[in-house]
Amino acid sequence: MTNVVDALQARVSSPKLCEPGPTRSHVETLLHCAVRAPDHGRLKPWRFVVVEGEGRNALGELFEKALLAKNPDASELKRDKTKSMPLRAPMVIVAIANVTTSHKVPVMEQIIATGVAVQNMQLAAVELGYGAIWRTGDMATSSVVRNHFSLEPEDQIVGFLYVGTPVGEARPPVAQDLESCVEYWG
């Protein structure tokens, strides 16, 4: 990528990721990029949990526990699939918005700032030669998972950023017709 505009216009998710994952130095670069997200009020509403190595198995066990809390009769196949979710990449970064409700900055803006931090990490990962995919799903709202990360009722898991080496060629970005989503005033 030659510049930010090119990087943004070429951005795609990498659904299949393998080893190697980011080095410690690259992880720190991703996190430094994350915390450069716009942050009205300088609240630093984000918290990141970097999960790698055996930590991915522990996260998988947490996901299975969350599944069983919601569906005690889940099939063995569904349990195995859920438990293996964090193994889809060498690293998963859990992005959490720890919001401050007593501040003039709206909670929604604090959550969005955390989302922008995830986008910064995803773009930085690609620039460093990795692929990434931002996932949410049931685990982001599960009370079992939320409790594990000690979230307050207003806090949000904004996403799980899976990072690793992309498998195969990146699919081309799908262009969107701007007329379908843009309105000009003036």
Side-chain angles (χ1 to χ4, degrees):
M1 302 292 156
T2 58
N3 63 44
V4 174
V5 172
D6 289 343
L8 287 166
Q9 290 185 349
R11 194 215 67 75
V12 293
S13 295
S14 297
K16 295 188 181 197
L17 301 161
C18 65
E19 295 285 351
T23 64
R24 183 56 48 127
S25 172
H26 284 165
V27 172
E28 289 178 7
T29 298
L30 297 179
L31 295 168
H32 282 294
C33 289
V35 300
R36 294 301 306 142
D39 178 19
H40 185 194
R42 296 185 180 153
L43 295 174
K44 299 175 181 61
W46 38 69
R47 177 165 63 111
F48 306 103
V49 179
V50 179
V51 183
E52 55 191 340
E54 286 302 311
R56 296 175 306 145
N57 290 320
L59 185 60
E61 290 172 10
L62 176 63
F63 284 1
E64 181 185 31
K65 183 178 174 185
L67 169 70
L68 292 173
K70 184 177 179 180
N71 180 5
D73 299 324
S75 70
E76 194 68 33
L77 180 64
K78 180 67 173 169
R79 290 175 66 175
D80 288 344
K81 182 177 179 183
T82 301
K83 193 173 182 177
S84 68
M85 287 167 45
L87 303 177
R88 296 185 285 198
M91 175 180 290
V92 181
I93 301 173
V94 185
I96 299 167
N98 285 127
V99 299
T100 303
T101 57
S102 61
H103 198 276
K104 69 177 184 174
V105 175
V107 167
M108 180 178 76
E109 191 172 335
Q110 297 174 54
I111 294 168
I112 291 169
T114 305
V116 172
V118 175
Q119 172 77 354
N120 284 0
M121 286 189 290
Q122 189 171 25
L123 287 170
V126 171
E127 183 63 26
L128 293 171
Y130 303 102
I133 187 166
W134 179 351
R135 298 181 183 270
T136 53
D138 291 343
M139 296 303 130
T141 57
S142 162
S143 60
V144 171
V145 176
R146 291 176 52 79
N147 289 339
H148 179 82
F149 289 111
S150 303
L151 272 60
E152 296 295 328
E154 59 278 353
D155 296 339
Q156 299 292 320
I157 295 175
V158 173
F160 303 93
L161 185 65
Y162 289 69
V163 185
T165 299
V167 174
E169 291 295 315
R171 66 180 192 274
V174 177
Q176 180 175 352
D177 173 23
L178 294 181
E179 291 178 9
S180 68
C181 64
V182 177
E183 179 179 329
Y184 290 95
W185 285 27

